[in-house]
Amino acid sequence: MVLTMEVKNVILRGRTYHFRLRVPGDCIQKTGRKEISQSLKTGDPAEAAIAAKKLGKVWAAEFKAIRSSAAPVPAKRSAVPDRNAEAFRQQLINQAEKNLPDIFEQETDKQLLERFNFYADAINIIQTNSRMGLELDEIGIHWPLKPSGSARQDRLRRRVLIEVLEMLRKNIGSEMVNPPVQQETKPHKETAKAPAVPRKSTDACPEEHDILEVADLMLAAKKRIAKTQQTVKADIRLLTEWTGGKRDITAYTKKELIDFIQNCLPHLPANMARRGNQYAGKTLRQCIDLTKTDPEHCPPISHTTCGNRLVNITMVFNYAKDHLGIIPVNPARGIEIPAVNVSRNLPRGFTPDELTAMWTALEAVKEDVARKPSHYWTTVLSLYHGFRLNEACGLFIKDVYEDEDGVFVMDINADGPFKSVKNRSSVRIVPVHPFVRDRLGFREFFEEQKQIRTDGVLFHDVRGNAVKGYRDRMTRWFAKWKQNWLPEESLHKHFHDLRYTFIRTAQNDAKMSDRCSQEITGHSVSGVSAVHLGYSGRLKPAAVLEELQKIRYGWE
């Protein structure tokens, strides 16, 4: 079975993507085939797209070289000495010195980085003696060169050309604002006996070696929300800082990962990145020393958070091993986190007394609902439906409607500017609880908003951005508001505890079925295979409503 991707010239055969390109009619005779078909050796669509783009450029250059082979070659490209390597080198250098100033003046830093990486690809092609065509206008030649009739002379040409390209890469790297990390290049076996050339090539190969670039590739492939992307990148930056700025993912050893996981992660200060705290301006190791010497005033992260950070780091190394194939084993696997008995696991969810106090405080909030509707309604919706904060704040007017069965529902999706969902299971349609819909007046509120405007967010006082979605204002307000009704020993609780409260009430008091609870809250449905769920689909809102209306807190 062959499935075609949206990416140009990429098809899926079985579980592996392939590059497929029709050869132009005027190039068929030279190439000896009508179609190019080549395995991309990956089942990951993001990697396949990148690999296909590179192959497309290579073959485009090849076709161009074939077409130009019959045409007269310009004088600057024909003056290639056959038997004088030094003259050949000097000719290339002279041509480069003539063209490089214009390149530095006209190209952006991004274009210079692309040129830098193109030279690395060109060196690999030349080292492997590939007959692929390369346009090297800045040094005035085409590759492959016209055969000289001498194998020895061809080898000399390749060595000189590689040397000049490496010199170009060094010059390009020095002109860039953020040059790639320098790294030694491994000479090909054919060029091992070449005259000694100082190989201070800055061959970073960001998409293959740099651990932050690998993390970017993984996040792009898995389509994770912005908050998760920030967390993963922050964890990788912690690892690089702990190891002295090491960026090459292939250079990490098991010993270094054990040191980081056992001596750094369990002692990371809680809220270390928060502005204006005692950790500002300190290095990572200085912050770790604070938690070790004074854990009461500088408490570390919880064991659960520590485990989550380890999962993020392990995922990046797994991606480098399983998808990119640039490391043979994952050095982060199998390392246990030591228990640091400093911070205790605090209770989650609101108690009946805390809920009563919250409901009394909400009566005062409701009086200001016309000016700040998100304060009241997102709290109520999350308490009765288990919404995450961004899901409640990010409701659009188009997301609330009556379905074909006449059930008043809310559609949780990522369809809108700055909207996002945590995962695939989070996309769902949830019926509105009857108490919220009728007694509290949510339906009446919705109809009023719909008359004022037909599009946009449901709560006019929220503001969205690409990083935090629509939750930012509500997060700050809830953190201040809870101090009015929560006892001091429970001030660690926050908005997400409403979700804890809903799930526990559904399980223990309403005796709701696991299937209904998981579909309402947007968790993956346990015990139901993806195949079966594909056939059956999700439960209809009318069926879920029968279970949802069992949720009661005592004041209904």
Side-chain angles (χ1 to χ4, degrees), residues 218 228 231-232 235-236 307-316:
M218 183 198 74
T228 302
T231 303
V232 171
D235 294 341
I236 295 300
N308 292 338
R309 289 178 177 270
L310 177 56
V311 167
N312 290 339
I313 292 167
T314 304
M315 282 194 307
V316 174

Side-chain angles (χ1 to χ4, degrees), residues 204-246:
C205 296
E207 62 190 25
E208 293 184 0
H209 297 99
D210 191 300
I211 190 169
L212 287 172
E213 295 291 339
V214 172
D216 285 337
L217 283 174
M218 183 198 74
L219 293 170
K222 293 184 177 292
K223 298 289 189 294
R224 296 184 180 272
I225 61 176
K227 182 180 178 181
T228 302
Q229 293 180 2
Q230 287 182 323
T231 303
V232 171
K233 291 179 181 179
D235 294 341
I236 295 300
R237 283 193 289 268
L238 287 174
L239 173 62
T240 59
E241 182 178 352
W242 184 261
T243 54
K246 181 177 288 190

Side-chain angles (χ1 to χ4, degrees), residues 340-474:
V340 179
N341 297 319
V342 175
S343 58
R344 56 192 178 89
N345 289 326
L346 300 173
R348 309 305 318 184
F350 296 109
T351 66
D353 290 341
E354 291 167 353
L355 283 173
T356 301
M358 182 189 70
W359 194 252
T360 302
L362 269 176
E363 291 299 318
V365 174
K366 191 174 184 179
E367 295 177 1
D368 196 30
V369 72
R371 192 172 66 91
K372 299 287 185 180
S374 66
H375 295 175
Y376 179 76
W377 285 117
T378 56
T379 305
V380 169
L381 292 177
S382 297
L383 182 62
Y384 276 90
H385 305 87
F387 288 160
R388 301 176 179 93
L389 178 55
N390 229 352
E391 293 173 348
C393 293
L395 281 172
F396 276 46
I397 289 178
K398 65 179 179 60
D399 297 331
V400 184
Y401 55 88
E402 273 192 5
D403 68 0
E404 64 273 10
D405 296 324
V407 179
F408 195 52
V409 300
M410 295 174 287
D411 190 340
I412 306 299
N413 57 64
D415 182 17
F418 308 131
K419 292 184 69 175
S420 64
V421 292
K422 186 173 183 179
N423 48 47
R424 187 178 299 176
S425 302
S426 301
V427 178
R428 62 199 188 276
I429 298 176
V430 181
V432 181
H433 192 289
F435 178 73
V436 176
R437 181 191 63 204
D438 301 327
R439 296 274 299 280
L440 298 183
F442 180 70
R443 183 164 194 159
E444 181 181 353
F445 165 78
F446 167 72
E447 295 296 342
E448 290 176 355
Q449 299 303 310
K450 194 174 180 180
Q451 289 179 2
I452 296 173
R453 59 192 190 283
T454 58
D455 198 8
V457 291
L458 179 59
F459 308 118
H460 61 76
D461 58 318
V462 301
R463 297 291 182 271
N465 61 68
V467 176
K468 295 186 178 181
Y470 292 93
R471 70 179 186 272
D472 194 29
R473 288 189 173 187
M474 186 63 189

Side-chain angles (χ1 to χ4, degrees), residues 65-86:
I66 291 173
R67 292 188 178 106
S68 62
S69 61
V73 181
K76 68 175 183 178
R77 301 188 183 191
S78 60
V80 178
D82 282 341
R83 304 204 175 273
N84 190 330
E86 187 56 38

Side-chain angles (χ1 to χ4, degrees), residues 153-377:
Q153 189 66 28
D154 287 340
R155 287 195 297 271
L156 284 174
R157 286 178 173 181
R158 283 198 295 272
R159 290 171 184 170
V160 170
L161 189 51
I162 289 171
E163 179 188 345
V164 172
L165 286 173
E166 287 181 335
M167 292 171 60
L168 284 173
R169 296 179 74 245
K170 182 178 179 181
N171 280 276
I172 293 290
S174 66
E175 287 292 321
M176 295 169 61
V177 177
N178 297 305
V181 181
Q182 292 190 354
Q183 180 177 319
E184 291 290 330
T185 55
K186 296 182 179 180
H188 188 261
K189 62 181 181 180
E190 182 182 340
T191 61
K193 296 181 181 179
V197 177
R199 291 180 177 267
K200 295 183 179 179
S201 164
T202 54
D203 190 5
C205 296
E207 62 190 25
E208 293 184 0
H209 297 99
D210 191 300
I211 190 169
L212 287 172
E213 295 291 339
V214 172
D216 285 337
L217 283 174
M218 183 198 74
L219 293 170
K222 293 184 177 292
K223 298 289 189 294
R224 296 184 180 272
I225 61 176
K227 182 180 178 181
T228 302
Q229 293 180 2
Q230 287 182 323
T231 303
V232 171
K233 291 179 181 179
D235 294 341
I236 295 300
R237 283 193 289 268
L238 287 174
L239 173 62
T240 59
E241 182 178 352
W242 184 261
T243 54
K246 181 177 288 190
R247 296 286 291 271
D248 184 1
I249 195 171
T250 64
Y252 279 93
T253 64
K254 188 81 170 181
K255 184 177 180 180
E256 289 173 326
L257 268 297
I258 290 175
D259 177 49
F260 175 73
I261 293 168
Q262 296 189 347
N263 298 324
C264 176
L265 276 187
H267 303 282
L268 277 176
N271 301 317
M272 184 174 68
R274 184 174 294 173
R275 295 179 181 177
N277 57 24
Q278 66 268 39
Y279 309 113
K282 292 182 171 60
T283 66
L284 175 59
R285 291 185 181 270
Q286 289 173 337
C287 295
I288 297 298
D289 290 340
L290 283 177
T291 62
K292 288 181 177 180
T293 56
D294 191 9
E296 291 297 328
H297 295 91
C298 303
I301 60 177
S302 67
H303 194 270
T304 301
T305 304
C306 187
N308 292 338
R309 289 178 177 270
L310 177 56
V311 167
N312 290 339
I313 292 167
T314 304
M315 282 194 307
V316 174
F317 279 96
N318 266 341
Y319 191 82
K321 178 177 75 75
D322 298 335
H323 295 271
L324 301 182
I326 59 178
I327 57 175
V329 295
N330 181 350
R333 287 189 68 87
I335 306 176
E336 294 186 0
I337 304 170
V340 179
N341 297 319
V342 175
S343 58
R344 56 192 178 89
N345 289 326
L346 300 173
R348 309 305 318 184
F350 296 109
T351 66
D353 290 341
E354 291 167 353
L355 283 173
T356 301
M358 182 189 70
W359 194 252
T360 302
L362 269 176
E363 291 299 318
V365 174
K366 191 174 184 179
E367 295 177 1
D368 196 30
V369 72
R371 192 172 66 91
K372 299 287 185 180
S374 66
H375 295 175
Y376 179 76
W377 285 117

